[in-house]
């Protein structure tokens, strides 16, 4: 089930995955699935054996002496009433209990993954409060439930095994009056004593069922989430142009892109510029189907991106996100992820091109350094360069760089730019750049404003036709002028 769930998440649109908080997903993945095992491996086999024991013993007792059987079972109504009351009360409390535990899970995950921010902003009190409140809330909810249950639990777990309570006096009476032989009496006592324990075990499995039903519902609703429909085309298209054709898109009901149309011809550079929040990243992510367009079409060559298999699409497009994520394995494996059959030499060659080689050698174990261990030793820019190497080793004909150099200082940016220039030859490149100087030489620049194309053209033509672009350019140039003089030249040569 865990494998299926992981597979499911991969096939869901990213937006639907992000709707779930990490804590909830973790709980589904770990605990809920774990508890499925409880019913399959314990409740069913043990339940059946306890049930059988109970029936066989009762019938035997009945055959030995039916009166003894009745007296042995006389305690049961009391136990059943106590259990029933506990069960009824538990059903009421289960919802709030699970909500509290889910909330606690979410806050724990958030607290831990936000540790860096929490420290920096010294928010220890308020975010810790949120965490602590949810833990106390969980504790209170659980304790309240236990407090009520404990009473009932004590009653039935004492009563059920006390099958001799009525049987012993009654049996003595029958024995004295001669209607029960010694052997019948002794056998009844033995049988009755083995009646209680299976019964306790049996009723204790009962709450598992509604409990499990809750979890099954949660997991099933996750499995029922719509999936992106995978196409069937397996060939990497020969014509690797990218065309957006009247593309509109909304996150839930927040429209982000409106009727965006443009074409990036093969082996050309298209730059997307615009203010933060204009929709640049969204536009790029639609190409790799993190989401599907709401309207319009994105094509590679003549083919709608939705017609490719995921594998083909991923082999055709290399997407370097602005949020770098490295897996906790060696640097070597992190780069190799882009091309699983790459040799060590290939990885190293690519790392050299992406300007990673030097700093990798400086880490403790070089390429075999675990990224997690090196976590504090790698800078944002270094991580970004590793992710560039990872994307580049894939050698896909279409490359999308989403502010891939944003975390680098100007000096490194220069080196990366040089590396990229070598790597992106003969590729269709779509680049989102935060520094205008890096995109000055693009074949086509697209200025996005609130999800619409406000202007389109090359640097020179945009300078004369688009006042908005000119303003951006001037602002950019002014900001450069205030930079260190020595860096100015470097910025502009890109
Ligand atoms: N996962 C998301 N869910 C909802 N809204 C989003 C999501 N990602 C981005 N947005 C919104 O979409 C708009 C465009 O975002 P984005 O494409 O990241 O802009 P840019 O890359 O140009 O800065 C923003 O208003 C942002 O708030
Ligand atoms: Mg962005």
């Amino acid at each position: 089930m865990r494998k299926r769930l992981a597979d499911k998440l991969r096939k869901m649109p990213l937006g639907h995955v992000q709707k779930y908080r990490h804590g909830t997903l973790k709980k589904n993945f770990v605990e809920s699935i774990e508890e499925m095992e409880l019913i399959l491996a314990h409740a069913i086999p043990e339940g059946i054996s306890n049930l059988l024991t109970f029936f066989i013993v009762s019938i035997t007792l009945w055959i030995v002496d039916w009166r003894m059987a009745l007296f042995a079972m006389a305690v049961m109504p009391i136990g059943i009433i106590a259990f029933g009351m506990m069960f009824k009360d538990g059903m009421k409390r289960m919802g709030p209990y699970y909500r509290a535990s889910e909330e606690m899970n979410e806050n724990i995950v958030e607290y831990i993954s936000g540790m860096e921010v929490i420290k920096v902003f010294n928010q220890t009190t308020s975010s810790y409060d949120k965490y602590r409140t949810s833990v106390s809330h969980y504790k209170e909810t659980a304790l309240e439930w236990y407090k009520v249950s404990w009473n009932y639990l004590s009653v039935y777990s004492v009563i059920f095994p006390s099958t001799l309570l009525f049987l012993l006096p009654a049996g003595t009476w029958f024995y004295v009056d001669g209607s029960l032989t010694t052997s019948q009496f002794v056998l009844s006592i033995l049988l009755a004593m083995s009646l209680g324990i299976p019964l306790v075990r049996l009723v204790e499995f009962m709450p598992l069922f509604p409990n499990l039903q809750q979890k099954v519902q949660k997991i099933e609703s996750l499995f029922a989430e719509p999936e992106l429909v995978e196409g069937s085309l397996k060939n990497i298209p020969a014509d690797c142009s990218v065309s957006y054709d009247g593309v509109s898109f909304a996150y839930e009901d927040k429209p982000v892109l409106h009727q965006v149309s443009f074409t990036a011809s093969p082996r050309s550079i298209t730059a997307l510029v615009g203010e933060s929040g204009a929709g640049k990243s969204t536009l790029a992510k639609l190409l790799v189907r993190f989401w599907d367009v709401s309207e319009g079409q994105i094509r590679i060559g003549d083919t709608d991106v939705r017609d490719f298999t995921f594998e083909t699409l991923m082999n055709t497009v290399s997407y370097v996100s602005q949020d770098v994520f490295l897996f906790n394995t060696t640097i070597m494996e992190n780069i190799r992820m882009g091309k699983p059959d790459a040799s060590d030499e290939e990885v190293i060659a690519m790392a050299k091109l992406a300007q990673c080689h030097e700093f990798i050698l400086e880490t403790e174990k070089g390429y075999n350094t675990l990224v997690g261990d090196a976590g504090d030793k790698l800078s944002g820019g270094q991580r970004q360069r590793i992710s560039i190497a990872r994307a580049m080793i894939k050698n896909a004909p279409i490359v999308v760089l989403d502010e891939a150099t944003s975390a680098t200082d100007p000096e490194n940016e220069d080196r990366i730019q040089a590396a990229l220039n070598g790597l992106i030859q003969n590729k269709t490149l779509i680049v989102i750049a935060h520094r205008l100087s890096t995109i000055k030489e693009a074949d086509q620049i697209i200025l996005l404003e609130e999800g619409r194309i406000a202007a389109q053209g090359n640097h020179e033509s945009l300078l004369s036709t688009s006042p908005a672009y000119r303003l951006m350019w001037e602002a950019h140039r002014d900001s450069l002028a205030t930079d260190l003089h020595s860096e100015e030249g470097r910025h502009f040569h890109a």
Side-chain angles (χ1 to χ4, degrees):
M1 278 184 86
R2 286 190 181 122
K3 280 184 183 164
R4 265 182 63 205
L5 203 54
D7 207 43
K8 177 74 195 185
L9 290 189
R10 198 173 54 83
K11 289 183 181 154
M12 276 160 59
L14 203 55
H16 291 265
V17 180
Q18 287 169 344
K19 211 170 51 188
Y20 291 92
R21 295 181 61 190
H22 289 172
T24 309
L25 281 179
K26 182 219 130 210
K27 196 171 157 63
N28 275 328
F29 262 93
V30 182
E31 288 144 50
S32 304
I33 291 182
E34 194 69 47
E35 278 169 48
M36 303 271 154
E37 192 254 6
L38 202 62
I39 197 160
L40 293 174
H42 298 276
I44 292 177
E46 288 177 34
I48 289 175
S49 74
N50 284 317
L51 203 63
L52 276 181
T53 312
F54 178 73
F55 273 118
I56 292 171
V57 171
S58 314
I59 290 168
T60 318
L61 193 54
W62 192 274
I63 293 169
V64 172
D65 190 297
W66 64 272
R67 295 169 302 175
M68 297 306 271
L70 285 184
F71 277 107
M73 291 188 190
V75 290
M76 273 168 211
I78 308 172
I80 287 172
I81 288 170
F83 179 79
M85 282 164 81
M86 184 180 92
F87 193 71
K88 201 170 139 228
D89 179 76
M91 290 298 279
K92 268 204 314 259
R93 290 173 198 269
M94 198 156 56
Y97 170 80
Y98 280 117
R99 268 194 298 283
S101 112
E102 210 160 72
E103 197 183 290
M104 179 177 72
N105 258 288
E106 282 161 3
N107 285 328
I108 290 175
V109 170
E110 186 183 85
Y111 184 73
I112 294 169
S113 48
M115 194 55 76
E116 192 173 299
V117 183
I118 290 167
K119 276 177 183 283
V120 169
F121 289 96
N122 203 11
Q123 274 207 334
T124 15
T125 41
S126 72
S127 46
Y128 183 66
D129 269 358
K130 191 173 155 195
Y131 165 80
R132 206 183 44 197
T133 323
S134 68
V135 175
S136 330
H137 177 60
Y138 172 76
K139 187 188 83 176
E140 280 155 23
T141 319
L143 266 184
E144 240 172 71
W145 187 2
Y146 295 160
K147 267 186 207 152
V148 178
S149 309
W150 277 330
N151 298 329
Y152 298 126
L153 185 117
S154 323
V155 172
Y156 79 73
S157 46
V158 167
I159 279 293
F160 277 140
S162 312
T163 39
L164 298 186
L165 188 64
F166 300 117
L167 182 133
L168 215 49
T172 312
W173 179 265
F174 295 142
Y175 177 66
V176 169
D177 111 25
S179 60
L180 196 68
T181 65
T182 317
S183 54
Q184 278 175 324
F185 193 16
V186 172
L187 187 56
S188 313
I189 290 174
L190 289 178
L191 285 172
M193 285 199 305
S194 56
L195 209 55
I197 299 299
L199 201 64
V200 175
R201 298 299 305 269
L202 211 56
V203 294
E204 278 177 347
F205 282 125
M206 296 271 283
L208 270 186
F209 291 89
N211 172 336
L212 211 78
Q213 203 182 5
Q214 285 244 345
K215 311 219 144 127
V216 170
Q217 264 170 10
K218 291 246 161 69
I219 293 183
E220 273 183 349
S221 76
L222 197 57
F223 274 124
E225 285 274 356
E227 291 180 6
L228 290 168
V229 183
E230 186 170 4
S232 55
L233 233 65
K234 286 207 176 85
N235 298 329
I236 294 189
D239 168 17
C240 281
S241 61
V242 175
S243 351
Y244 283 70
D245 192 357
V247 169
S248 300
F249 177 72
Y251 289 108
E252 306 279 302
D253 31 84
K254 180 184 174 213
V256 174
L257 295 171
H258 312 271
Q259 294 294 323
V260 175
S261 301
F262 69 89
T263 300
S265 28
R267 289 177 295 283
S268 75
I269 301 178
T270 300
L272 301 177
V273 298
E275 283 177 8
S276 174
K280 307 180 295 292
S281 298
T282 307
L283 203 58
K285 286 173 184 167
L286 288 177
L287 175 60
V288 279
R289 290 195 75 196
F290 284 1
W291 287 270
D292 272 340
V293 297
S294 322
E295 234 178 86
Q297 199 181 37
I298 303 175
R299 286 187 304 270
I300 296 177
D302 298 325
T303 316
D304 192 306
V305 287
R306 286 168 289 195
D307 293 339
F308 294 111
T309 61
F310 289 132
E311 196 184 343
T312 308
L313 186 62
M314 291 312 148
N315 286 336
T316 312
V317 185
S318 237
Y319 169 71
V320 185
S321 142
Q322 64 191 121
D323 315 306
V324 177
F325 183 83
L326 298 180
F327 289 93
N328 188 13
T329 165
T330 62
I331 295 179
M332 181 73 91
E333 291 312 316
N334 263 294
I335 298 179
R336 209 198 308 269
M337 216 158 274
K339 184 183 173 195
D341 58 349
S343 65
D344 287 4
E345 287 69 35
E346 253 179 288
V347 170
I348 293 171
M350 199 52 65
K352 280 181 180 157
L353 274 175
Q355 310 290 316
C356 303
H357 187 65
E358 283 170 31
F359 78 75
I360 293 176
L361 288 189
E362 279 166 21
T363 58
E364 212 165 308
K365 294 187 189 136
Y367 282 87
N368 293 322
T369 308
L370 288 176
V371 172
D373 292 344
D376 43 355
K377 290 180 213 136
L378 291 183
S379 71
Q382 289 170 336
R383 288 162 176 274
Q384 210 157 33
R385 276 182 273 165
I386 292 180
S387 82
I388 289 174
R390 175 171 69 189
M392 288 304 173
I393 200 169
K394 204 160 111 176
N395 198 22
I398 299 171
V399 177
V400 182
L401 299 173
D402 189 349
E403 312 209 355
T405 55
S406 58
T408 37
D409 46 74
E411 188 164 348
N412 283 325
E413 190 183 354
D414 257 13
R415 303 175 64 184
I416 291 183
Q417 203 60 47
L420 285 178
N421 287 344
L423 291 163
I424 60 186
Q425 272 169 10
N426 297 322
K427 300 205 189 294
T428 311
L429 179 69
I430 296 178
V431 55
I432 302 171
H434 70 304
R435 286 190 190 132
L436 286 182
S437 49
T438 60
I439 48 101
K440 224 175 94 182
E441 271 144 48
D443 300 292
Q444 149 173 261
I445 299 171
I446 287 163
L447 175 63
L448 275 184
E449 251 170 33
E450 293 178 1
R452 289 187 176 79
I453 295 187
Q456 190 172 3
N458 63 21
H459 180 67
E460 261 66 45
S461 76
L462 279 184
L463 275 186
S464 56
T465 57
S466 165
Y469 184 80
R470 203 169 52 236
L471 271 177
M472 276 177 71
W473 176 251
E474 277 161 7
H476 168 72
R477 210 182 39 200
D478 292 346
S479 77
L480 283 190
T482 59
D483 270 1
L484 290 174
H485 310 299
S486 57
E487 282 185 359
E488 202 166 3
R490 273 210 287 268
H491 273 293
F492 274 92
H493 99 276

